[in-house]
Amino acid sequence: MHVDPADFYPFYWGAAQEVGAGEGKGYNCNVPLPLGADGIAFLQALSRLLSALTEFKPQAIVIALGLDAHKDDPLAGMTLETEDFYRIGQRLAQVKGPKVIVQEGGYPTDSLSDNLAAFLQGFEWG
């Protein structure tokens, strides 16, 4: 899940129609969101993605935690609030199977540590 690459970085990959190729066809699912998407739009898209994930039945899940989706991030393409990260953590914690969390986005802001803490608390209590 990310901002639509037609409107935001990286501009050249991550479109919904990119589903993999060859033996990997159908194993990739991009969920582009409009530039400026808020927490409601993000959580709705997450619900759709998790439904697809349930049907796929993965052996493991890697969560690329992009804290740069927060409204205060200088390169944010979305407008998530700190509380949204808590709800995202809760929903991801409910997915069955082993998970790995990789924090891969988020620039130094006053809210960065709060966003990470909110996600982890939601994930722990999910």
Side-chain angles (χ1 to χ4, degrees), residues 36-124:
D38 63 9
I40 293 169
F42 191 97
L43 289 163
Q44 289 171 343
L46 181 59
S47 291
R48 292 191 307 272
L49 181 63
L50 293 180
S51 291
L53 188 66
T54 300
E55 291 178 26
F56 179 68
K57 297 181 177 87
Q59 294 177 350
I61 299 163
V62 177
I63 300 166
L65 178 58
L67 297 172
D68 52 348
H70 189 264
K71 65 178 182 156
D72 292 341
D73 194 278
L75 297 178
M78 295 188 212
T79 57
L80 274 63
E81 303 280 346
T82 299
E83 298 77 26
D84 296 321
F85 288 102
Y86 182 87
R87 289 188 285 279
I88 293 165
Q90 282 181 310
R91 291 201 184 166
L92 291 173
Q94 295 168 359
V95 177
K96 304 279 188 231
K99 298 170 210 63
V100 173
I101 301 168
V102 179
Q103 198 267 304
E104 56 84 22
Y107 294 87
T109 64
D110 291 341
S111 55
L112 182 61
S113 61
D114 293 336
N115 298 335
L116 178 58
F119 175 86
L120 292 174
Q121 288 168 354
F123 194 81
E124 180 180 13

Side-chain angles (χ1 to χ4, degrees), residues 12-41:
Y12 52 85
W13 62 24
Q17 67 269 21
E18 294 175 35
V19 296
E23 291 183 30
K25 188 170 184 174
Y27 290 94
N28 189 62
C29 181
N30 285 305
V31 182
L33 297 171
L35 185 62
D38 63 9
I40 293 169

